[in-house]
Amino acid sequence: MAALKMVTMPVSSGWVTAEAIECPVGDLLILDRVFLDKPWRGFGLGPILAAETIRRLSGGCCAVAAEPGMAEWPDNREEVSESYRQQARRKIAALWESIGFTPFRNGVYLLDPALRQPGELLTQKRNELLQLAQAYRSQATALTTLPEPEPEPTPAAARGGRAVNRQLPAREDWLETIGSVRAQDTLLYLQGRCQQAGWDSGDKRTALALAAEVTSETDLRELGAQIQDVHFGLHKAFADAITFSADSFDVGPFRADPSRLGPLAGVWVYGSNLHGMYTGRSHGVGDACQHARLLSARLERISLAQLLSLEEFWQWNGPMCSFCSGWSGQRLTEEQYTHYLRVRANNSPRTAAP
């Protein structure tokens, strides 16, 4: 789930002074890197795991040092701007400050284990983790609890009027929207992801507001600039909410007969290298695969009809990624979704009559 790299070293004379920490005598514990597996990111677990590790390893140390920065880079490292790096550094620094680190010099942050504050902040983090665990248990229970049967409608004669079937509204479950290709499921999916993750509340509001404004004609690449400073995990969740992975879409019937596209012909498709103009394969956006790209102006944008006409893209040695199929689509309107289901139903194999 998590991996932390920490190193202990003797303190060089004069490097840590009494002005920086309470008692500059002892070893220096260096917090090098903290890694979390992707499914565990976005919940605020990094700081508390680091704080618990520091509490256990800081005996005999006069200070703990860390230099906030990006420890992991996306595959498309060249697309990460300087403003994004600085924003990431500020957010990572804020995480370390939340467990007691303070700015020292030259970008280095120090934590003084002799002070009461780190212990108090650790207690606070433990309480937050407990609340997160309790919220998860409550939701897990709700997801596994069978709904109560709906009451039978009251006969009309008993009420002296016309029978009315008062059905309770179905409980919306965002987990059911995972892998959906419908634009109608965009907000429900993103709301669910935001409820599960510990991203900044302001960032969540920004992402949800932008997602609510998306139409079938919106150029999603333009939204990348408006959401580039949010948490990396939220950026991916936003992309997943407004697009669908190629693996969720049955393109077979339309490759066999493009004339069946109908309203799907104009569905916008995004990929990093659809035309094979660059070295390497094309990838979709969001969490389509480990090499998936961010929403940015560097993505290519063509229609689904145009993509089907790129024969070299569909060849075995073409630019298509074998994991994410090389592209992501803009979620379908209700008209497009209805047509898609109709084509799939007509294309399903049928048992021959005896």
Side-chain angles (χ1 to χ4, degrees), residues 25-330:
V25 178
D27 292 333
L28 177 67
L29 182 64
I30 299 176
L31 174 60
D32 186 21
R33 296 181 182 182
V34 177
F35 290 100
L36 282 174
D37 290 343
K38 285 188 176 181
W40 296 97
R41 297 177 185 176
F43 298 98
L45 297 177
I48 186 172
L49 293 176
E52 293 284 7
T53 304
I54 289 170
R55 188 181 71 84
R56 287 163 174 77
L57 300 181
S58 59
C61 296
C62 66
V64 185
E67 185 176 2
M70 295 177 64
E72 184 177 9
W73 292 82
D75 225 36
N76 53 330
R77 179 168 179 164
E78 69 281 357
E79 296 184 15
V80 178
S81 64
E82 179 62 27
S83 64
Y84 180 88
R85 285 196 293 269
Q86 292 300 324
Q87 182 73 6
R89 184 184 181 282
R90 287 193 293 270
K91 290 191 175 184
I92 294 172
L95 292 177
W96 296 148
E97 289 178 1
S98 72
I99 59 174
F101 281 91
T102 57
F104 177 48
R105 65 188 183 200
N106 299 327
V108 175
Y109 281 60
L110 289 182
L111 180 146
D112 188 345
L115 299 180
R116 291 179 54 187
Q117 184 194 32
E120 294 172 348
L121 291 174
L122 176 57
T123 299
Q124 178 182 331
K125 289 294 181 185
R126 286 172 174 170
N127 291 333
E128 293 175 0
L129 180 59
L130 179 60
Q131 293 173 8
L132 179 63
Q134 291 172 340
Y136 172 78
R137 292 192 190 100
S138 299
Q139 185 170 32
T141 301
L143 291 175
T144 56
T145 301
L146 295 176
E148 295 182 1
E150 296 178 1
E152 292 292 330
T154 305
R159 296 195 310 270
R162 186 177 57 181
V164 178
N165 187 4
R166 298 182 180 275
Q167 295 184 348
L168 297 175
R171 179 172 58 86
E172 292 183 331
D173 187 350
W174 76 274
L175 295 175
E176 296 177 0
T177 67
I178 295 175
S180 173
V181 300
R182 303 174 69 184
Q184 179 177 308
D185 292 330
T186 289
L187 282 180
L188 182 56
Y189 172 84
L190 188 57
Q191 287 168 352
R193 290 292 303 273
C194 286
Q195 289 172 0
Q196 296 295 306
W199 299 316
D200 179 81
S201 58
D203 288 350
K204 291 178 183 179
R205 287 193 295 271
T206 297
L208 288 167
L210 286 174
E213 297 175 359
V214 172
T215 70
S216 60
E217 292 303 317
T218 302
D219 188 339
L220 303 184
R221 298 173 298 179
E222 297 177 356
L223 300 183
Q226 301 180 54
I227 202 170
Q228 64 179 350
D229 292 333
V230 305
H231 186 278
F232 196 72
L234 177 54
H235 200 296
K236 286 189 172 184
F238 177 79
D240 289 338
I242 60 179
T243 65
F244 61 83
S245 169
D247 293 339
S248 301
F249 187 88
D250 184 6
V251 76
F254 309 106
R255 285 196 62 201
D257 184 4
S259 66
R260 305 175 74 180
L261 279 171
L264 295 172
V267 172
W268 291 111
V269 168
Y270 299 83
S272 62
N273 194 17
L274 300 176
H275 290 86
M277 295 184 293
Y278 312 104
T279 302
R281 302 195 180 278
S282 180
H283 302 282
V285 300
D287 268 326
C289 73
Q290 63 175 337
H291 306 295
R293 301 299 198 255
L294 297 175
L295 286 172
S296 72
R298 296 196 179 192
L299 291 173
E300 292 185 54
R301 179 187 190 238
I302 61 176
S303 69
L304 181 57
Q306 290 173 315
L307 181 68
L308 293 178
S309 69
L310 296 177
E311 286 300 325
E312 65 276 12
F313 180 86
W314 302 100
Q315 294 173 2
W316 177 255
N317 293 320
M320 180 174 60
C321 169
S322 59
F323 291 98
C324 69
S325 297
W327 60 280
S328 297
Q330 198 150 334

